[in-house]
Amino acid sequence: MSQAHVVLITGGSRGIGAAIARLAAAAGHAVVVNYARQADAAQRLCADIVATGGQALALQADVAQEAEVVHLFDETVRQLGRLDALVNNAGVVGPAARVDELSAERITRMFATNVLGSFLCAREAVRRMSTRHGGAGGAIVNITSRAADLGSPGEYVDYAASKAALETMTVGLAREVAREGIRVNAVSPGLINTGIHASGGQPDRVQRFADRIPMGRGGEPEEVARAVLWLLSDQASYVTGASLEVSGGR
Ligand code: NAP
């Protein structure tokens, strides 16, 4: 992706997704800012991008709902003419809990958003970008987590397991479409300063755990976004099936 392209970012309205949208727009790409519920945040971000000369479109869709995902991709192509890249960024955590405390509803919700949602979006992207389907190729980046390796005991093993599933999907899908013009990679963030920790009932989580990070601090969404933009770009033309940690050390 060296020239202007259309980049769809799920959960692009806040946190890491918003940083990716801003950076992609600043690089000259048209961005689709998908969101689930908070239309205000998505509209504000798109207005900011447009005010600085960029192209941005806010589209609502719950990635866990198949019909909404299909509509999201159809609308992207209808309004922007094509699709060149997908960032599977939408993800949720739950309140800290042990496995012996988890409800079936919570586990189902976690996997519906983080795993099913990412699969549905990847499917729709491949259907539009793969040369096998008459597309021009493209790139997919899955936002996973260091939790996939660490397992997140006592906090959210269900979340960690959902991200491990996404790491495996990255490897398998990358191999599946490697000769169809599509590269598929993962970015695995460590502790990043966003609202996700408050949504899981731990607003001070990054500060509390900062000492455990080799670099001694949490990361900023922009630091993750720069890795994503590199993987989407032609600079990473021979990189597929890889997982890039952005975590201040391991
Ligand atoms: P965040 O600040 O909580 O933002 C989440 C975004 O996802 C929002 O735009 C939200 O939209 C959207 N979203 C949530 N559920 C959705 C659904 N069902 N369908 C579509 N969009 C949905 O999260 P973040 O910290 O930026 O995290 C982004 C990704 O990075 C996630 O996959 C997360 O697991 C991963 N990650 C984060 C960290 C970290 O420390 N922050 C570390 C490792 C990995 P609404 O505003 O409409 O709700």
Side-chain angles (χ1 to χ4, degrees), residues 10-17 34-39 41 61-64 88-93 113-114 143-146 159 163 188-197 199 205-206:
T10 66
S13 57
R14 297 189 285 116
I16 292 169
N34 157 253
Y35 65 98
R37 283 163 294 273
Q38 299 190 27
D62 178 345
V63 295
N88 263 326
N89 168 77
V92 290
V93 295
T113 303
N114 299 2
I143 307 298
T144 60
S145 173
R146 286 288 294 124
Y159 170 81
K163 292 299 187 176
S188 175
L191 281 166
I192 310 298
N193 283 308
T194 73
I196 202 170
H197 309 291
S199 76
R205 188 164 176 271
V206 177

Side-chain angles (χ1 to χ4, degrees), residues 21 41 45 57 82 85 93 98 116 146 177 191 221 236:
L45 174 63
L57 175 66
R82 53 187 291 137
V93 295
R98 289 167 45 96
L116 174 65
R146 286 288 294 124
V177 298
L191 281 166

Side-chain angles (χ1 to χ4, degrees), residues 137-225:
I140 297 174
V141 171
N142 295 320
I143 307 298
T144 60
S145 173
R146 286 288 294 124
D149 282 338
L150 303 170
S152 304
E155 274 197 304
Y156 23 65
V157 175
D158 51 348
Y159 170 81
S162 75
K163 292 299 187 176
L166 203 45
E167 286 279 341
T168 301
M169 185 261 258
T170 303
V171 174
L173 182 60
R175 294 177 69 110
E176 204 166 276
V177 298
R179 297 182 189 205
E180 299 171 24
I182 303 177
R183 293 181 301 101
V184 185
N185 291 289
V187 165
S188 175
L191 281 166
I192 310 298
N193 283 308
T194 73
I196 202 170
H197 309 291
S199 76
Q202 303 189 67
D204 62 342
R205 188 164 176 271
V206 177
Q207 291 71 21
R208 257 192 306 126
F209 292 137
D211 254 5
R212 297 186 190 175
I213 302 167
M215 288 178 72
R217 66 170 178 87
E220 296 305 320
E222 294 70 24
E223 296 181 291
V224 180

Side-chain angles (χ1 to χ4, degrees), residues 59-142:
L59 290 177
Q60 191 280 334
D62 178 345
V63 295
Q65 300 297 325
E66 185 174 20
E68 295 184 26
V69 170
V70 172
H71 184 255
L72 168 67
F73 281 78
D74 281 347
E75 271 304 290
T76 296
V77 174
R78 193 181 71 76
Q79 297 200 40
L80 298 175
R82 53 187 291 137
L83 177 72
D84 303 289
L86 163 69
V87 183
N88 263 326
N89 168 77
V92 290
V93 295
R98 289 167 45 96
V99 170
D100 54 16
E101 298 166 334
L102 297 181
S103 67
E105 288 73 19
R106 164 174 161 155
I107 302 167
T108 302
R109 173 175 162 269
M110 189 81 68
F111 276 77
T113 303
N114 299 2
V115 182
L116 174 65
S118 297
F119 264 89
L120 292 174
C121 291
R123 182 190 76 188
E124 294 305 308
V126 169
R127 286 179 176 174
R128 288 161 182 80
M129 300 191 311
S130 166
T131 53
R132 182 190 176 101
H133 297 290
I140 297 174
V141 171
N142 295 320

